[in-house]
Amino acid sequence: MPVPWLLLSLALGRSPMVLPLERRVGPQDATHCSPGLSCHLWDDDILCLPGDVMPALGPVLVPTHLQTELVLRCRKETNCDLCVRVAVHLAVHGHWEEPEDEKKFGGAADPGLEKPRNASLQAQVVLSFQAYPTARCVLLEVQVPAALMQFGQSVGSVVYDCFEAALGSEVQIWSYTQPRYEKKLNLTQQLPALPWLDVSADGDNARLVLNVSEEQHFSLFLYWKQVQGPPKPWWQKNLTGPQIITLNHTDLVPCLCIQVWPLEPDSFRTNICPFREDPRAHRNLWRTARLRLLTLQSWRLEALCPLPAEAALCWQAPGGDPCQPLVPPLSWENITVNKALEFPLLEGHPNLCVQVNSWEKLQLQECLWADSLGPLNDDVLLLETRGPQDNRSLCALEPSGCTSLPSKASTMAARLGEYLLQDLQSGQCLQLWNDDLGALWACPMDKWWLRLLKQDVRKGATPRGRAALLLYSADDSSFEHLVGALASALCQLPLRVAVDLWSRRELSAQGPVAWFHAQRRQTLQEGGMVVLLFSPGAVSLCSEWLQDGVSAPQWLQDGVSAPQWLQDGVSAPGAQGPHDAFRASLSCVLPDFLQGRASGRYVAACFDRLLRPDAVPALFRTVPVFSLPSQLPDFLGVLQRPSAPRPWRLRERAEQVSRALQPALESYFHPPGTPGRDAGWDLGRGTGLE
């Protein structure tokens, strides 16, 4: 529908009588070209099918540059539409092929193969337009005479009048030939918007101002623009009069667009997309993006807007070390948002994770298979490389790199190399990926590590540092990651840390109660310390055991033997879910607290911002309680007694642990992919808010 002249003049910012835009009268499209060229516009639109690039046999005419300008297409003197005029500049690419016999012998070739003296070039040039909700393609036929053919130089241009578009819209324009010899040319034309629709800053938020009359009824529609297909609707509301609408800054994304139109028949609609270059919008887009596992091999990146990204698999070992990309032997793959993608896996594994990069920066990382296959375990990943003549080599992935097997190095994988190779040959390792160049294998480590430890003890080797057993409630995978980061950081000190994260296979085989009982007894016999790491989940579970924070299970209050399930070293009847291990640990440590044996053997801790020390149940506050990382020096001093280092050395170690914890703390409190809050709208009349 033609735009009312008043609205058009407002958008263009000039008096209607002195608008500088050229006017075209009549609804028909037209074309004209540079002097010497001939051109013709097909009567009907064509299908937009660019096809593949194909080699040119001899010289061809190709588009080299697009140029646009706005004109007015008027049906009446004051009833016009904005229209985009496009000029396609053309050049001749390629040459007439010189006949082979003339090249070889220097003589005249067959006259039938010589270049025609009066030859002309013809081309079918396609112009493709897209401006939501309209898309169309037109075909221009162009002919260039031989006299104007200068190879590699411009021969002129062909002009198309014109593509109608709405105020405030964005027009995407492509040009190519049929058949196509070059990449498609692309240009974006932004049309002016109405001045009464404005977006400005309101602190961290965005303010949308609609300055219309008191009696004007209009509709406001917010949507997420897509590269292909219709937009994704978000919010729509019919309003009256001037409005000031505040958009929450967490809801801003690059493809968020605004459409406004009067509530009248066949009314004109204005579109703007004001956040395409807003850095906050791009950060929000990644915060709301999600990785979703679809099947064993397929997954999907879900996001509101299209974005450039690539993905690869990595291997995440327990303990908080960075996830190690498996490139090579695998490769980075380009991602299409909201489309299923596949990795060539034979089996899933909880330690396999997906990393997503954009502009060479890590944006997302998630261990997709952990939800269905359990948390991270202590398997070792072996990389097999295959060469010619059936030659192959193996290495074990470690934080320091890939250690060749067998090896005389002093790393853990090198010491376990003989046993890992035995497991591989006997079929005890799980093959995750396989092709002609190599394979990936996940091999269990627990039993061999325990054997090495026993060998060291028999040889008289003194274990390094004091023993520490970490007990915690597995509230969620993020908290487990935080616990793993703390355990890994403590291992860098003179401490030997035991945590169920690193012994899942052994814990599963023995049962939680038996495993924790054995670990507690060994830790205390060696003069070590048991660390109770409290979280909201741990406090809740303690409340189930300690009514009002003072009572114990009835069998402890009555002074009778423990239930048979506890004596047998199995889980409590009905115990299910991620907190079972912590329930089992409580059954092991409660007697020490209730009978006054906890002092000097136990210490409690919690994380800053997650739980206050005074929220720890009173029974467990009979031992020191520390908030981490703010009280790390005191916490480490207690753990390393009686041989605690001097104060300056203790501060250095506390800073070392704090630095190691920071990435995990940041990831826990500000995880990537966190969704924004619900749409935050403040709607008001004029400057007042309703």
Side-chain angles (χ1 to χ4, degrees), residues 443-463:
C443 299
M445 182 184 69
D446 282 341
K447 58 180 180 179
W448 301 122
W449 181 246
L450 292 173
R451 178 177 294 186
L452 285 180
L453 182 61
K454 293 176 181 178
Q455 290 176 357
D456 289 343
V457 172
R458 284 198 297 269
K459 292 176 182 178
T462 302

Side-chain angles (χ1 to χ4, degrees), residues 176-237:
Y176 50 90
T177 59
Q178 285 187 342
R180 189 158 64 98
Y181 302 113
E182 304 278 349
K183 293 181 178 179
K184 294 184 293 184
L185 294 182
N186 178 241
L187 182 67
T188 301
Q189 174 72 53
Q190 181 68 54
L191 273 63
L194 294 174
W196 46 262
L197 176 59
D198 180 57
V199 178
S200 60
D202 181 15
D204 289 336
N205 300 325
R207 175 182 293 170
L208 176 60
V209 179
L210 297 106
N211 188 18
V212 299
S213 62
E214 289 281 347
E215 65 277 5
Q216 177 68 64
H217 301 278
F218 63 94
S219 189
L220 178 66
F221 174 47
L222 275 81
Y223 62 93
W224 296 293
K225 184 178 180 181
Q226 305 300 299
V227 173
Q228 295 181 342
K232 292 181 179 179
W234 180 26
W235 186 88
Q236 182 174 351
K237 190 168 185 178

Side-chain angles (χ1 to χ4, degrees), residues 14 130 137 152 155 219 338 349 353 363 482 603 662 685:
R14 300 288 185 91
Q130 184 174 359
C137 282
V155 296
S219 189
N338 301 322
H349 193 281
C353 307
Q363 298 287 359
L482 190 54
V603 64
Q662 284 309 311
R685 301 288 301 274

Side-chain angles (χ1 to χ4, degrees), residues 521-588:
R521 181 173 56 190
Q522 180 178 343
T523 299
L524 297 181
Q525 285 177 348
E526 295 176 0
M529 183 75 71
V530 177
V531 180
L532 300 176
L533 195 55
F534 279 92
S535 64
V539 171
S540 176
L541 285 169
C542 287
S543 299
E544 297 179 11
W545 283 67
L546 306 170
Q547 298 132 19
D548 299 328
V550 295
S551 302
Q554 193 63 44
W555 59 270
L556 281 174
Q557 298 181 54
D558 297 341
V560 299
S561 299
Q564 190 61 44
W565 60 265
L566 179 55
Q567 298 181 45
D568 294 340
V570 298
S571 298
Q576 297 178 356
H579 305 296
D580 292 355
F582 188 69
R583 283 193 182 94
S585 68
L586 283 178
S587 68
C588 297

Side-chain angles (χ1 to χ4, degrees), residues 160-364:
Y160 168 73
D161 276 326
C162 58
F163 177 76
E164 295 182 12
L167 286 171
S169 64
E170 179 184 87
V171 183
Q172 295 281 345
I173 307 169
W174 292 270
S175 181
Y176 50 90
T177 59
Q178 285 187 342
R180 189 158 64 98
Y181 302 113
E182 304 278 349
K183 293 181 178 179
K184 294 184 293 184
L185 294 182
N186 178 241
L187 182 67
T188 301
Q189 174 72 53
Q190 181 68 54
L191 273 63
L194 294 174
W196 46 262
L197 176 59
D198 180 57
V199 178
S200 60
D202 181 15
D204 289 336
N205 300 325
R207 175 182 293 170
L208 176 60
V209 179
L210 297 106
N211 188 18
V212 299
S213 62
E214 289 281 347
E215 65 277 5
Q216 177 68 64
H217 301 278
F218 63 94
S219 189
L220 178 66
F221 174 47
L222 275 81
Y223 62 93
W224 296 293
K225 184 178 180 181
Q226 305 300 299
V227 173
Q228 295 181 342
K232 292 181 179 179
W234 180 26
W235 186 88
Q236 182 174 351
K237 190 168 185 178
N238 294 336
L239 303 170
T240 303
Q243 296 283 348
I244 298 177
I245 299 171
T246 300
L247 306 180
N248 194 308
H249 69 93
T250 60
D251 295 321
L252 307 183
V253 292
C255 63
L256 179 61
C257 300
I258 304 163
Q259 186 178 84
V260 184
W261 67 95
L263 291 177
E264 301 171 357
D266 298 325
S267 59
F268 166 75
R269 298 191 178 200
T270 297
N271 296 269
I272 59 171
C273 302
F275 308 111
R276 288 175 298 176
E277 307 300 329
D278 191 327
R280 298 173 303 169
H282 285 271
R283 289 194 296 269
N284 288 339
L285 178 59
W286 281 110
R287 289 194 186 105
T288 58
R290 294 285 187 186
L291 295 174
R292 185 181 301 278
L293 186 66
L294 303 177
T295 65
L296 169 65
Q297 295 179 319
S298 64
W299 58 282
R300 181 173 62 217
L301 172 61
E302 298 178 347
L304 292 173
C305 307
L307 42 80
E310 55 182 2
L313 287 174
C314 64
W315 181 261
Q316 179 66 69
D321 289 318
C323 198
Q324 296 172 276
L326 301 178
V327 180
L330 302 178
S331 59
W332 288 98
E333 301 289 343
N334 291 329
I335 296 177
T336 300
V337 171
N338 301 322
K339 181 179 179 181
L341 301 164
E342 290 190 358
F343 282 123
L345 293 175
L346 301 176
E347 297 286 348
H349 193 281
N351 294 29
L352 280 176
C353 307
V354 176
Q355 287 184 332
V356 178
N357 280 9
S358 182
W359 304 112
E360 298 184 355
K361 180 181 179 182
L362 179 63
Q363 298 287 359
L364 285 177

Side-chain angles (χ1 to χ4, degrees), residues 35-54:
L37 277 63
S38 61
C39 53
H40 170 71
L41 172 66
W42 277 35
D43 293 337
D44 299 320
D45 288 359
I46 65 170
L47 294 176
C48 302
L49 301 173
D52 297 328
V53 175
M54 60 182 300

Side-chain angles (χ1 to χ4, degrees), residues 318 377-380 412 416 419-420 423 443-454 499-510 515:
N377 62 39
D378 50 13
D379 285 357
V380 176
M412 181 180 66
L416 293 172
Y419 306 116
L420 293 172
D423 280 351
C443 299
M445 182 184 69
D446 282 341
K447 58 180 180 179
W448 301 122
W449 181 246
L450 292 173
R451 178 177 294 186
L452 285 180
L453 182 61
K454 293 176 181 178
V499 61
D500 69 333
L501 268 174
W502 300 342
S503 304
R504 288 290 166 84
R505 290 178 183 271
E506 186 181 357
L507 184 143
S508 178
Q510 298 180 14
W515 188 86

